[in-house]
Amino acid sequence: MMTTVVSCLLPHADRVPYNNRSQFNLQVVFYLAVAAHVVEGALCYKKAVKMGSSTPVGWGLQTALLGFPSFRVLLKMEKDGGKTS
């Protein structure tokens, strides 16, 4: 799917050998995923500070490494009023 999108967006993409294009696509996806995790970690850190957590840095790092499941736990805690059930 990604190669189709790239070949549509880049007019000369069909001149690039498939392996190079495939590696490029993987690099783009990797860097976008890293960026998404960093942004998500920063948002989680801000949310933990706003909630008055004693470990907002831990929440931010954990979310940056593990992704949305960690952030979902923090959001559930906020909804439940800080309970960790």
Side-chain angles (χ1 to χ4, degrees):
M1 174 104 176
M2 188 68 166
T3 50
T4 305
V5 172
V6 170
S7 62
C8 290
L9 296 176
L10 301 174
H12 305 293
D14 56 345
R15 295 183 189 162
V16 178
Y18 180 76
N19 290 336
N20 289 342
R21 193 172 10 162
S22 179
Q23 183 178 3
F24 171 76
N25 292 342
L26 286 174
Q27 288 174 342
V28 168
V29 169
F30 173 76
Y31 289 125
L32 288 175
V34 168
H37 277 263
V38 169
V39 168
E40 194 173 27
L43 291 173
C44 189
Y45 170 80
K46 288 178 74 172
K47 177 69 78 176
V49 167
K50 185 178 176 184
M51 286 177 54
S53 172
S54 61
T55 57
V57 174
W59 279 106
L61 289 175
Q62 177 178 319
T63 302
L65 292 174
L66 301 177
F68 186 75
S70 173
F71 196 25
R72 188 171 32 186
V73 171
L74 185 67
L75 293 174
K76 186 174 187 309
M77 284 176 52
E78 180 186 37
K79 182 181 174 185
D80 294 343
K83 300 174 186 171
T84 59
S85 60

